[in-house]
Structures are given as C-alpha cells and as structure tokens.
Amino acid sequence: MATATGFFFITATPLSSSSSSRPLPVSSHTPLLRIHCSSSSSSSISTSEATPIPEKPPTSTNFSVTGGAYDFTKATTSLTNELIASSKKVILLRHGLSTWNAESRIQGSSDLSLLTEVGEKQAEKCKKALENIYFDRCFASPISRAKQTAEIVWEGREKPLFYLDSLKEISLYHLEGMKNVDAKQVYPKEYTTWREDPANFYMNGRYPVRDLWQAARVCWKEMLLSPGKSFLVVTHKSILRALTCTALGLGPERFRSLDINNGGMCVFIFNIKGEAMLEGLNMTAHMYSDHVYPG
C-alpha cells in the first residue's frame, strides 16, 4: 500500500522450530525484523506483502431519514400502520407561561388558565425563532393557553391553523385548579400516585395517563395522514410527553422520563412508514436569546 505521503510496515522473519527450546542469538547477521519504508508512489511492493486498500466510504446514502435502522423490522414504531404520502418534519411546542403555571396550580384540561404577560413574550420569542421555517399547517389544542400561544406564533402566516381535541391536556378531574401543596395534603394517595406512579394513577373510574397515550396515538395518525411535509404543533406538557414517548415506542410508565419547558420545542422527522426520529428535545435556546432556527 504505497502512498505519496509515505508509510512503514513490518514483517517478522520466522524463527526455526529448533529455536523454541533456546533463545536465538542476536547479531548483525540475524535480523529479526525487516522494516520497509516508502516515501513515494514509485516504490514497489510484492503482491504477497501489500495490504488491501479498503473501499472509500460512501459520501451519501439513499436511506430514508436515519439510514439503515429502517431496514430492520421492529427497529422502530410506525404511528400510522400505513404508508404516508411523504416524509414529514413536525415541531412540537409547549405553550407559554400561564397564570396557573405561575401560581403552581394543577391545570389539567381546565380552560381557566390564561397566558401571563411573560407567557405572551415567550410566545413572541417562539414566533421569532421559527420565522425562517416554512410550515404547511399548524395544529393546536383548543384550550385557551395553547390557543393563545398558537395565535401569536402563527400570526401573519397564510396557511391554516387547526384545533384538535386530541391535543387537549390530560384530565385531572377534582385536582384541577388546586395548588400542588394543597392537593398533596387533601388527596395524598391520589397525588402521590400521580407524581410517582403516573401509569397507575386512577381517578373517576379512569387511568388518565393511559387515556393520554391513546389520545397521542390518535393525534399522531391524524396529523401524519394530513397533507403537507412540515407541521407545527402547539399544546401542553403532559400531552407533549405522551406524543414524544409514543413516537419513540415508550409506554405510559415513562411519563416522567422527560420534561418540556414553557416555550420548549421538540423536533421529529418521520419517514413514509410513519416511523419517527427525534432530532431535538426541549429546545430552549430561543427563550434566552434572539436565536432563530434555520429553515
């Protein structure tokens, strides 16, 4: 393997069978190693001594989205169970700070919590951060704090804004509106289960987190089968957790394995099989600077 930059290779001279019983004397007449040096491509090496040159790695692939992972069955999870028209990019965005966020109240599916002044400014930052990205459509929760955020972020765009009930926040029934410290005292068993074992959290004859997982699957399918290649989704933290986990094939027991800040974004790419690749989780650079994401 001669090159213009030069190299060394070493070959060992075999020892005779008799040498195994005693050390071989070393002298100028008994070389143990031969070292060949090449400094230019004009050097010649016998075929038996040359090391095969590996093929040059490909500079591009024709794999869909993430490469070879999609060539294996059961490597990823299809959210549609059918082919979609094209690959898609989906950005999930949590609403800005709300009044009940600021008061440390349990929000759930209640529609009584609105964006604070800080929350509105956060939504404006999100709008600025996404200004270079083209979206075919925006999907949003119809609950006020998410709806307000979506309207601010989407202002000035000509494409439609759709409200989906499947993007509503988790229902927490009589815990909604209570401050966390009060709910812990008044309903200690339910509150502790909600915090520490959410998959088995049981209230009003239902398992709210398990219901949320089902809603997330319905929502993904509805969005991914919609026309377009680039979508913005504005909603709430708990349903965002469910959307992220279901896309990655994780069950409701992983509900608290990730967090998403107010104004935080998650980015997914989907191939035509409806399989997801997570590109960004809880992206918040735009919340602390004038960062604008590239289109």
Coordinates of all heavy atoms in Angstrom, one line a residue, residues 55-109:
E55 N -12.2 0.0 0.5 CA -13.0 0.8 -0.4 C -13.3 2.2 0.3 O -13.5 2.2 1.5 CB -14.4 0.1 -0.7 CG -14.2 -1.1 -1.6 CD -15.5 -1.7 -1.9 OE1 -16.5 -1.1 -1.6 OE2 -15.5 -2.8 -2.6
K56 N -13.4 3.2 -0.5 CA -13.7 4.5 0.1 C -15.1 4.5 0.6 O -16.0 4.1 -0.1 CB -13.5 5.6 -1.0 CG -13.7 7.0 -0.6 CD -13.5 8.0 -1.7 CE -13.8 9.4 -1.2 NZ -13.6 10.4 -2.3
P57 N -15.3 5.0 1.8 CA -16.7 5.0 2.3 C -17.6 5.9 1.5 O -17.1 6.9 1.0 CB -16.5 5.6 3.8 CG -15.2 6.3 3.7 CD -14.4 5.6 2.8
P58 N -18.9 5.6 1.4 CA -19.8 6.4 0.6 C -19.9 7.8 1.2 O -19.9 8.0 2.4 CB -21.1 5.7 0.7 CG -21.0 4.8 1.9 CD -19.6 4.5 2.0
T59 N -20.0 8.8 0.4 CA -20.2 10.2 0.9 C -21.7 10.5 1.1 O -22.0 11.5 1.6 CB -19.6 11.2 -0.1 OG1 -20.2 11.0 -1.4 CG2 -18.1 11.0 -0.2
S60 N -22.6 9.7 0.6 CA -24.0 9.9 0.7 C -24.7 8.6 0.7 O -24.2 7.6 0.3 CB -24.6 10.8 -0.4 OG -24.4 10.2 -1.6
T61 N -26.0 8.6 1.2 CA -26.8 7.4 1.2 C -28.1 7.7 0.7 O -28.6 8.8 0.6 CB -26.9 6.8 2.7 OG1 -27.7 7.7 3.4 CG2 -25.6 6.6 3.4
N62 N -28.8 6.7 0.3 CA -30.2 6.8 -0.1 C -31.2 6.3 0.9 O -32.3 6.0 0.6 CB -30.4 6.1 -1.5 CG -30.1 4.6 -1.4 OD1 -29.8 4.1 -0.3 ND2 -30.3 3.9 -2.5
F63 N -30.7 6.1 2.2 CA -31.6 5.7 3.2 C -32.6 6.7 3.6 O -32.3 7.9 3.4 CB -30.8 5.3 4.5 CG -29.8 4.2 4.3 CD1 -28.5 4.3 4.7 CD2 -30.3 3.0 3.8 CE1 -27.7 3.2 4.6 CE2 -29.5 1.9 3.7 CZ -28.1 2.0 4.0
S64 N -33.7 6.3 4.1 CA -34.8 7.2 4.4 C -34.6 7.7 5.9 O -34.5 7.0 6.8 CB -36.2 6.5 4.4 OG -37.2 7.3 4.9
V65 N -34.4 9.0 6.0 CA -34.3 9.7 7.3 C -33.0 9.3 8.1 O -32.1 10.1 8.2 CB -35.5 9.6 8.1 CG1 -35.5 10.4 9.3 CG2 -36.8 10.0 7.3
T66 N -33.0 8.1 8.7 CA -32.0 7.8 9.6 C -31.1 6.7 9.2 O -30.2 6.2 9.9 CB -32.5 7.4 11.0 OG1 -33.4 6.3 10.9 CG2 -33.3 8.5 11.6
G67 N -31.2 6.3 7.9 CA -30.3 5.2 7.4 C -30.8 3.8 7.7 O -32.0 3.6 7.8
G68 N -29.8 2.9 8.0 CA -30.1 1.5 8.0 C -31.1 1.1 9.1 O -31.5 -0.1 9.0
A69 N -31.3 1.9 10.1 CA -32.2 1.4 11.1 C -33.6 1.0 10.6 O -34.3 0.2 11.1 CB -32.4 2.5 12.2
Y70 N -34.0 1.7 9.5 CA -35.3 1.5 8.9 C -35.3 0.2 8.0 O -36.3 -0.1 7.5 CB -35.8 2.7 8.1 CG -36.2 3.8 9.0 CD1 -35.8 5.1 8.8 CD2 -37.0 3.6 10.1 CE1 -36.2 6.1 9.6 CE2 -37.4 4.6 11.0 CZ -37.0 5.9 10.7 OH -37.4 6.9 11.5
D71 N -34.2 -0.4 7.8 CA -34.1 -1.6 7.0 C -34.4 -2.8 7.8 O -34.4 -4.0 7.3 CB -32.7 -1.7 6.4 CG -32.4 -0.6 5.4 OD1 -33.4 0.0 4.9 OD2 -31.3 -0.4 5.1
F72 N -34.6 -2.7 9.1 CA -34.8 -3.8 10.0 C -36.2 -3.8 10.6 O -36.7 -2.7 11.0 CB -33.8 -3.8 11.2 CG -32.4 -3.9 10.7 CD1 -31.6 -2.8 10.4 CD2 -31.8 -5.2 10.5 CE1 -30.3 -2.9 10.0 CE2 -30.5 -5.3 10.1 CZ -29.8 -4.1 9.8
T73 N -36.9 -4.9 10.6 CA -38.3 -5.0 11.1 C -38.2 -4.8 12.6 O -37.2 -5.2 13.3 CB -38.9 -6.3 10.8 OG1 -38.1 -7.4 11.3 CG2 -39.1 -6.5 9.3
K74 N -39.2 -4.2 13.2 CA -39.3 -3.9 14.6 C -38.2 -3.0 15.2 O -38.1 -2.9 16.4 CB -39.4 -5.2 15.4 CG -40.5 -6.1 15.0 CD -40.6 -7.4 15.8 CE -41.8 -8.3 15.4 NZ -41.8 -9.5 16.2
A75 N -37.5 -2.3 14.3 CA -36.4 -1.4 14.8 C -37.0 -0.1 15.3 O -36.5 0.5 16.2 CB -35.4 -1.1 13.7
T76 N -38.2 0.3 14.7 CA -38.8 1.5 15.1 C -40.3 1.2 15.2 O -40.8 0.1 14.8 CB -38.5 2.6 14.2 OG1 -38.8 2.2 12.8 CG2 -37.1 3.0 14.2
T77 N -41.1 2.2 15.6 CA -42.5 2.1 15.7 C -43.3 2.9 14.7 O -43.0 4.1 14.6 CB -43.0 2.6 17.1 OG1 -42.3 1.8 18.1 CG2 -44.5 2.5 17.3
S78 N -44.2 2.3 13.9 CA -45.0 3.1 13.0 C -46.2 3.7 13.7 O -46.9 2.9 14.4 CB -45.4 2.2 11.8 OG -46.4 2.9 11.0
L79 N -46.4 4.9 13.5 CA -47.5 5.6 14.2 C -48.8 5.6 13.3 O -49.8 6.1 13.8 CB -47.2 7.0 14.6 CG -46.0 7.1 15.6 CD1 -45.6 8.5 15.8 CD2 -46.5 6.5 16.9
T80 N -48.7 5.1 12.1 CA -49.8 5.1 11.2 C -50.2 3.7 10.7 O -51.4 3.5 10.3 CB -49.4 5.9 9.9 OG1 -48.2 5.4 9.3 CG2 -49.2 7.4 10.3
N81 N -49.3 2.8 10.8 CA -49.5 1.4 10.3 C -49.9 1.4 8.9 O -50.6 0.5 8.4 CB -50.6 0.7 11.2 CG -50.2 0.5 12.6 OD1 -49.0 0.1 12.8 ND2 -51.0 0.7 13.5
E82 N -49.5 2.4 8.2 CA -49.7 2.5 6.7 C -48.8 3.6 6.2 O -48.3 4.4 6.9 CB -51.2 2.9 6.4 CG -51.6 4.2 6.9 CD -53.1 4.5 6.6 OE1 -53.4 5.0 5.5 OE2 -54.0 4.3 7.5
L83 N -48.5 3.5 4.9 CA -47.6 4.4 4.3 C -48.3 5.8 4.2 O -49.5 6.0 4.0 CB -47.2 4.0 2.9 CG -46.4 2.7 2.7 CD1 -46.1 2.4 1.3 CD2 -45.1 2.8 3.5
I84 N -47.4 6.9 4.4 CA -47.9 8.2 4.3 C -47.3 8.8 3.0 O -46.4 8.3 2.4 CB -47.5 9.1 5.5 CG1 -46.0 9.1 5.7 CG2 -48.2 8.5 6.7 CD1 -45.6 10.0 6.9
A85 N -47.9 9.9 2.5 CA -47.6 10.4 1.2 C -46.1 10.9 1.1 O -45.6 10.8 0.0 CB -48.5 11.6 0.9
S86 N -45.5 11.3 2.2 CA -44.1 11.8 2.1 C -43.6 11.8 3.5 O -44.3 11.7 4.5 CB -44.1 13.2 1.5 OG -44.7 14.1 2.3
S87 N -42.3 12.0 3.6 CA -41.6 12.2 4.9 C -42.1 13.5 5.4 O -42.5 14.4 4.7 CB -40.1 12.1 4.8 OG -39.7 13.2 3.9
K88 N -42.1 13.7 6.8 CA -42.6 14.9 7.4 C -41.7 15.4 8.5 O -41.1 14.5 9.2 CB -44.0 14.7 7.9 CG -45.0 14.3 6.9 CD -46.4 14.1 7.4 CE -47.4 13.6 6.4 NZ -47.7 14.5 5.3
K89 N -41.7 16.7 8.7 CA -41.0 17.3 9.9 C -42.1 17.9 10.7 O -42.9 18.6 10.3 CB -40.0 18.4 9.4 CG -39.3 19.0 10.6 CD -38.2 20.0 10.1 CE -37.4 20.6 11.2 NZ -36.3 21.5 10.7
V90 N -42.0 17.5 12.0 CA -43.0 18.0 13.0 C -42.3 18.7 14.2 O -41.5 18.0 14.8 CB -43.9 16.9 13.5 CG1 -45.0 17.4 14.5 CG2 -44.6 16.2 12.3
I91 N -42.7 19.9 14.5 CA -42.1 20.6 15.6 C -43.2 20.7 16.7 O -44.3 21.3 16.4 CB -41.6 22.0 15.3 CG1 -40.4 21.8 14.3 CG2 -41.2 22.8 16.5 CD1 -39.7 23.2 13.9
L92 N -43.0 20.2 17.8 CA -43.9 20.3 19.0 C -43.5 21.4 19.9 O -42.4 21.5 20.3 CB -43.9 19.0 19.8 CG -44.1 17.7 19.0 CD1 -44.0 16.5 20.0 CD2 -45.5 17.6 18.3
L93 N -44.5 22.3 20.2 CA -44.2 23.5 21.0 C -45.1 23.5 22.2 O -46.3 23.4 22.1 CB -44.4 24.7 20.1 CG -44.4 26.1 20.8 CD1 -43.0 26.4 21.5 CD2 -44.7 27.2 19.8
R94 N -44.5 23.7 23.4 CA -45.4 23.9 24.6 C -45.7 25.4 24.7 O -45.0 26.2 24.4 CB -44.6 23.4 25.9 CG -45.5 23.5 27.1 CD -44.7 23.2 28.4 NE -45.6 23.4 29.5 CZ -45.2 23.5 30.8 NH1 -43.9 23.4 31.0 NH2 -46.0 23.7 31.8
H95 N -47.0 25.6 25.2 CA -47.5 27.0 25.3 C -46.6 27.8 26.3 O -45.8 27.2 27.1 CB -48.9 26.9 25.8 CG -49.1 26.3 27.2 ND1 -48.8 27.0 28.4 CD2 -49.5 25.1 27.6 CE1 -49.0 26.2 29.4 NE2 -49.5 25.1 29.0
G96 N -46.8 29.1 26.3 CA -46.1 30.0 27.2 C -46.6 29.9 28.6 O -47.6 29.2 28.9
L97 N -45.9 30.6 29.5 CA -46.2 30.6 30.9 C -47.7 31.0 31.1 O -48.1 32.1 30.6 CB -45.3 31.5 31.7 CG -45.4 31.4 33.2 CD1 -44.8 30.2 33.8 CD2 -44.8 32.7 33.8
S98 N -48.4 30.3 31.9 CA -49.8 30.6 32.2 C -50.0 31.1 33.6 O -49.1 31.0 34.4 CB -50.7 29.4 31.9 OG -50.5 28.4 32.9
T99 N -51.2 31.6 33.9 CA -51.5 32.1 35.2 C -51.3 31.0 36.3 O -50.8 31.2 37.4 CB -52.9 32.7 35.3 OG1 -53.8 31.8 34.8 CG2 -52.9 34.0 34.5
W100 N -51.8 29.8 35.9 CA -51.8 28.7 36.9 C -50.4 28.1 37.0 O -50.0 27.5 38.0 CB -52.8 27.6 36.5 CG -54.2 28.0 36.9 CD1 -54.6 29.3 37.4 CD2 -55.4 27.2 37.0 NE1 -55.9 29.3 37.7 CE2 -56.4 28.0 37.4 CE3 -55.6 25.9 36.6 CZ2 -57.7 27.6 37.6 CZ3 -56.9 25.4 36.8 CH2 -58.0 26.2 37.2
N101 N -49.6 28.2 35.9 CA -48.2 27.8 36.0 C -47.5 28.7 37.0 O -46.8 28.2 37.9 CB -47.4 28.0 34.7 CG -47.7 27.0 33.6 OD1 -47.7 27.3 32.4 ND2 -48.0 25.7 34.0
A102 N -47.7 30.0 36.9 CA -47.1 30.9 37.8 C -47.5 30.7 39.3 O -46.8 31.0 40.2 CB -47.4 32.3 37.4
E103 N -48.8 30.2 39.5 CA -49.3 30.0 40.8 C -49.1 28.6 41.3 O -49.6 28.2 42.4 CB -50.8 30.4 40.9 CG -51.1 31.8 40.5 CD -52.6 32.1 40.3 OE1 -53.4 31.1 40.4 OE2 -52.9 33.2 40.0
S104 N -48.4 27.8 40.5 CA -48.1 26.4 40.9 C -49.5 25.6 41.2 O -49.6 24.9 42.1 CB -47.2 26.2 42.1 OG -46.8 24.9 42.3
R105 N -50.4 25.8 40.3 CA -51.7 25.1 40.3 C -51.7 24.0 39.3 O -51.1 24.0 38.3 CB -52.9 26.1 40.1 CG -53.1 27.1 41.1 CD -54.3 28.0 40.9 NE -54.4 29.0 41.8 CZ -55.0 28.9 43.0 NH1 -55.5 27.8 43.4 NH2 -55.1 29.9 43.9
I106 N -52.5 23.0 39.6 CA -52.7 21.8 38.7 C -53.6 22.3 37.6 O -54.8 22.6 37.9 CB -53.2 20.6 39.5 CG1 -52.2 20.2 40.5 CG2 -53.5 19.4 38.5 CD1 -52.7 19.1 41.5
Q107 N -53.2 22.2 36.4 CA -54.0 22.8 35.3 C -54.9 21.7 34.7 O -56.1 21.9 34.6 CB -53.2 23.4 34.2 CG -52.4 24.6 34.7 CD -51.7 25.4 33.7 OE1 -52.0 26.5 33.4 NE2 -50.7 24.7 33.0
G108 N -54.3 20.6 34.2 CA -55.1 19.6 33.5 C -55.8 20.1 32.3 O -55.3 21.0 31.6
S109 N -57.0 19.7 32.1 CA -57.8 20.1 30.9 C -58.6 21.3 31.2 O -59.4 21.8 30.3 CB -58.7 18.9 30.5 OG -59.6 18.6 31.5

